[in-house]
Amino acid sequence: MPGCLLQTPLGPLLAREEEGLLCGLAFAQPGDTAIPSEDTPLLREARRQLAAYFEGRLRVFDLPLRLEGTAFQRAVWARLTAIPYGQLSTYGRIAREIGRPGAARAVGRAIHLNPVTIVVPCHRVVGARGRLTGYAGGLARKQALLRLEQTP
C-alpha cells in the first residue's frame, strides 16, 4: 500500500493510498516505524490540497477516498464531510441527522475511527454544550484546526 509522510504545521501526517483512493490520513505518532515512502500522483495531490488548506486557500477537499467501516460508521463519516468549513456540529446532532437520535456515543466512537482526518473533518464536532472533546490527533490540534477555519 503506497504511503508517505506529509508535513503540516501541526506535525506530520501519515498518508496511505489503495488502488488510487486515499484510505488513511493520520497524525504520525512518536515511534512510528516502517513508514512507507512511495510518492504517487494521488499522494502529491493530497500534499498540495493539505498545504492549501493550512494556508487558508482551500475549504473543500477533492480527493478520492476509500472509507472502510460499518454502514453506521460510513454514514457518520459521510455526515462529517457535509459540515461546512468553519462550522461546528455535535455528536447528538449528527446522530439525529443520520436517523439514530439515541446514538450520540456510537457517533463518537465512529468519529474516533475516522480513517482520513482533516479531509473527513472530525475536528468540527464538539460536545453538546460546545465543549471541545476528544480528537485522535489531540485537543491542541483540534483547537488549532478550528482556529484556522475561523480566520477570515
Side-chain angles (χ1 to χ4, degrees):
M1 177 181 322
C4 66
L5 278 178
L6 306 175
Q7 298 302 324
T8 78
L10 299 180
L13 286 166
L14 177 56
R16 296 187 187 274
E17 142 181 3
E18 189 172 309
E19 298 175 0
L21 302 168
L22 188 65
C23 62
L25 188 64
F27 285 100
Q29 300 299 313
D32 276 350
T33 58
I35 294 172
S37 61
E38 186 174 344
D39 206 16
T40 66
L42 174 61
L43 295 175
R44 284 190 296 276
E45 180 61 15
R47 180 181 291 113
R48 186 192 71 73
Q49 288 189 30
L50 282 161
Y53 169 80
F54 280 106
E55 292 168 2
R57 297 183 294 107
L58 181 86
R59 293 175 177 245
V60 177
F61 289 93
D62 183 24
L63 296 166
L65 304 176
R66 170 173 282 160
L67 304 175
E68 293 187 8
T70 66
F72 179 81
Q73 290 167 336
R74 289 190 314 272
V76 170
W77 301 332
R79 182 62 198 108
L80 294 178
T81 63
I83 302 170
Y85 181 94
Q87 301 292 313
L88 299 177
S89 190
T90 65
Y91 300 98
R93 183 180 307 145
I94 291 170
R96 289 188 301 277
E97 290 170 349
I98 65 169
R100 300 282 301 275
R105 286 188 179 167
V107 165
R109 284 191 296 279
I111 289 173
H112 179 73
L113 297 173
N114 172 14
V116 185
T117 193
I118 301 175
V119 173
V120 176
C122 51
H123 60 277
R124 296 178 187 155
V125 181
V126 296
R129 293 177 181 84
R131 194 180 85 230
L132 289 187
T133 58
Y135 181 65
L139 284 181
R141 286 185 175 131
K142 183 173 187 164
Q143 289 172 315
L145 292 166
L146 294 175
R147 274 194 309 273
L148 170 72
E149 293 188 10
Q150 294 304 312
T151 304

